[in-house]
Amino acid sequence: MVAETINIKNKALLKDQCYINGEWMGANDGSSSEVTNPANSERLGSLPNCGADEAILAITAANKAQKIWAKTDAKERSSVLKNLHHLMLENQMDLATIITLEGGKPISESLGEIAYAASFFEWFSEEAKRVYGDLIPGHQYDRRTLVIKQPIGVVGCITPWNFPSAMLARKIAPAIAVGCSVVAKPAPETPFSATAMAYLSELAGVPKGIFNVVTGDAEKIGSAMTSHKDVKKITFTGSTAVGKHLLKASADSVKKVSLELGGHAPFIVFDDANLEAAVEGAVIAKYRNSGQTCVCANRIYVQSSIYDDFSQRFTEKASELVVGNGLDESTQQGPLISENAIEKVSNHIEDAKNSGAIITTGGNPHSLGGLFFEPTVLTGVSDEMLISKEETFGPVAPIFSFETEQEVIERANNTPYGLAAYFYTTDLAKSWRVSEQLDYGMVGLNTGIISTEMAPFGGVKESGIGREGSKYGVDDYLEIKYVSLAGIED
């Protein structure tokens, strides 16, 4: 059941069941899992605690529906996605409120997430009509070589809690656009965002069986997806450890896999940078969603000649951030997602302190209590500290000093991760050199915000495989088929 205290206009968006083959249903055994608000621990409701049986039911339905959907013309698929785009924006405030209640992020950020999520339905509604093949000159006089692209089939989709609408939209939009079907497993912390999207997809005209949402046991549902012969692709956003497990599990049936995994983003400020812009960009890149994003700045490197000035300005900005319940419009930083998150943040700060780092602001659980933590800045940080090696996923900004361009590039690249990186400079030549030498899938030059539906999102090294968004975002949902046409001439 959904709590009556959830204050949104369109109550129909609040679904407390799974969505399988166009039907709302519970777990076979009747079990459910509670969902709570991280800002105050209040119960939001419960959703079915499904397992392998329900996942297989959804996969079977998706496989049957996909064969029909694949034959639907691109213009019709485009129209359905455009409908969903409009419905998302029409319900933007309600959907954003659900995100904030489930995940704790400030309402302003949640509103931005819904706009971002909706943009993928718009973008891929247009790309649906642009899945082009090729006609290649034949290798013999009487032959022609035809290359066509076809939907891969059923897609198993597993999404995280920190962007529950955007990460789901970024996966299902290209899948539906090219003629695939989807079985989605949302994070247990934020399932209502997924079921709300499923409800809107039904209104938009997405046929039954094409978009399914199964909540519950991650291991059982994930295992069903990776082992089932009818699932042709797995797409996952989450931790590197889980991504590696899914990659191994998918190997037995040689499924196509897309992974958007952990990051450890460097944020580099050269002494020729616009200092004010760099400080603003670093605050945005670090403290968005309380530091709980895969592209958050985790290591801030500042050239020694401007280190003290930058650190002072950055500390002032961080100390002014308003912490509170995300539904309060003045809030700039909400709670962390769990006690485990609080513990990791605290451990990283304690380890840094013990090794000589200085806390210039924050450093403690917030006076609000619960899962709130103070925006924190550390100076005098070294590469030997835990925070320089692990992704903190919290509101802690360690500021490192560096001397030369080559030094900072080597230090920035000294990690198994390679998702996002940022740097600030006004030197044109340096802009090219550093952009090309950073071993990351995405680089923000003089900006702390890089996400857009028009650009390919993804990482290298242990940060993932594949790209989402942009014209490249449809490729992982397609198979390329070569047809050799013989007998063209007598």
Side-chain angles (χ1 to χ4, degrees):
M1 296 291 291
V2 179
E4 295 181 359
T5 54
I6 298 180
N7 184 23
I8 63 174
K9 291 180 180 179
N10 187 358
K11 296 291 187 181
L13 291 167
L14 297 171
K15 298 295 184 182
D16 58 359
Q17 294 179 303
C18 289
Y19 187 65
I20 299 175
N21 199 26
E23 302 291 335
W24 295 98
M25 59 183 66
N28 289 346
D29 61 4
S31 63
S32 61
S33 298
E34 296 287 300
V35 182
T36 58
N37 184 342
N40 52 26
S41 299
E42 287 185 359
R43 178 184 178 277
L44 298 175
S46 60
L47 274 128
N49 187 29
C50 296
D53 290 345
E54 295 85 351
I56 292 171
L57 180 65
I59 292 167
T60 302
N63 187 51
K64 182 179 179 180
Q66 189 273 329
K67 297 183 188 314
I68 301 171
W69 185 240
K71 297 177 181 178
T72 305
D73 66 80
K75 189 173 183 179
E76 182 175 341
R77 297 197 300 270
S78 174
S79 178
V80 168
L81 289 175
K82 285 180 180 177
N83 291 342
L84 187 47
H85 166 253
H86 293 312
L87 286 167
M88 291 282 288
L89 294 182
E90 286 174 10
N91 291 275
Q92 184 176 10
M93 179 54 77
D94 283 348
L95 294 170
T97 299
I98 292 173
I99 289 177
T100 293
L101 288 170
E102 290 187 304
K105 69 173 59 174
I107 191 66
S108 59
E109 292 187 22
S110 295
L111 287 166
E113 179 177 343
I114 295 302
Y116 180 50
S119 72
F120 287 101
F121 294 117
E122 180 184 41
W123 177 268
F124 286 108
S125 73
E126 296 159 349
E127 289 299 298
K129 297 178 285 186
R130 300 188 179 99
V131 180
Y132 303 131
D134 292 292
L135 185 62
I136 302 173
H139 61 287
Q140 295 180 10
Y141 79 96
D142 67 337
R143 298 197 178 199
R144 302 295 182 271
T145 298
L146 178 67
V147 177
I148 61 175
K149 295 179 181 180
Q150 297 178 306
I152 195 168
V154 179
V155 176
C157 170
I158 304 173
T159 54
W161 54 263
N162 58 343
F163 286 92
S165 290
M167 298 302 96
L168 187 56
R170 204 161 70 185
K171 298 175 187 303
I172 69 171
I176 293 174
V178 302
C180 296
S181 57
V182 177
V183 177
K185 161 67 177 72
E189 296 88 350
T190 55
F192 288 116
S193 291
T195 54
M197 191 179 294
Y199 168 72
L200 292 179
S201 75
E202 187 176 21
L203 297 183
V206 176
K208 67 177 185 178
I210 295 301
F211 177 31
N212 306 272
V213 176
V214 184
T215 61
D217 190 302
E219 184 174 351
K220 291 179 181 178
I221 296 171
S223 294
M225 288 181 177
T226 55
S227 63
H228 203 290
K229 65 179 179 60
D230 290 335
V231 176
K232 303 302 182 183
K233 172 182 170 62
I234 297 292
T235 175
F236 168 76
T237 295
S239 72
T240 297
V242 174
K244 289 179 178 179
H245 171 76
L246 291 171
L247 185 61
K248 291 176 183 177
S250 299
D252 287 342
S253 52
V254 196
K255 299 188 191 304
K256 200 168 188 177
V257 177
S258 296
L259 304 172
E260 196 259 284
L261 308 177
H264 198 26
F267 190 105
I268 303 168
V269 184
F270 290 99
D271 57 11
D272 58 25
N274 180 322
L275 194 57
E276 183 177 350
V279 170
E280 291 289 346
V283 169
I284 292 170
K286 173 67 259 183
Y287 295 109
R288 188 159 61 106
N289 197 22
S290 301
Q292 299 174 117
T293 86
C294 54
V295 294
C296 271
N298 279 273
R299 296 166 292 153
I300 300 176
Y301 295 99
V302 182
Q303 203 149 19
S304 59
S305 60
I306 60 170
Y307 182 86
D308 291 340
D309 194 2
F310 177 93
S311 298
Q312 180 180 348
R313 295 190 191 196
F314 184 86
T315 297
E316 289 174 358
K317 292 287 186 181
S319 65
E320 293 169 356
L321 291 173
V322 179
V323 179
N325 190 311
L327 292 179
D328 186 334
E329 292 184 359
S330 66
T331 293
Q332 296 170 293
Q333 181 180 291
L336 299 189
I337 194 64
S338 66
E339 289 289 351
N340 287 339
I342 292 284
E343 182 178 355
K344 186 174 186 180
V345 166
S346 298
N347 287 343
H348 277 191
I349 293 172
E350 190 64 25
D351 173 79
K353 282 172 54 182
N354 292 339
S355 299
I358 299 171
I359 299 174
T360 59
T361 188
N364 299 295
H366 200 275
S367 58
L368 290 171
L371 299 177
F372 292 96
F373 204 94
E374 295 174 340
T376 301
V377 179
L378 303 175
T379 59
V381 189
S382 68
D383 293 348
E384 290 71 38
M385 296 175 184
L386 198 59
I387 201 166
S388 70
K389 302 174 183 178
E390 297 180 0
E391 184 179 26
T392 304
F393 230 63
V396 185
I399 307 179
F400 302 77
S401 176
F402 74 91
E403 297 295 335
T404 68
E405 178 182 324
Q406 195 55 44
E407 172 205 339
V408 76
I409 290 172
E410 291 176 1
R411 291 169 68 185
N413 288 340
N414 187 26
T415 172
Y417 303 104
L419 187 58
Y422 310 85
F423 71 100
Y424 274 69
T425 181
T426 55
D427 184 322
L428 179 60
K430 187 183 294 179
S431 297
W432 280 103
R433 288 195 305 269
V434 177
S435 294
E436 293 174 349
Q437 292 181 68
L438 287 170
D439 293 336
Y440 292 83
M442 301 175 289
V443 177
L445 170 58
N446 294 328
T447 180
I449 300 177
I450 57 175
S451 299
T452 170
E453 78 278 10
M454 302 179 196
F457 192 104
V460 298
K461 298 188 284 188
E462 293 188 22
S463 285
I465 301 170
R467 293 296 182 271
E468 295 179 329
S470 80
K471 68 176 184 178
Y472 305 103
V474 298
D475 292 348
D476 281 336
Y477 298 88
L478 294 165
E479 292 285 18
I480 295 176
K481 179 180 288 186
Y482 150 53
V483 181
S484 181
L485 305 176
I488 301 298
E489 299 184 29
D490 294 334

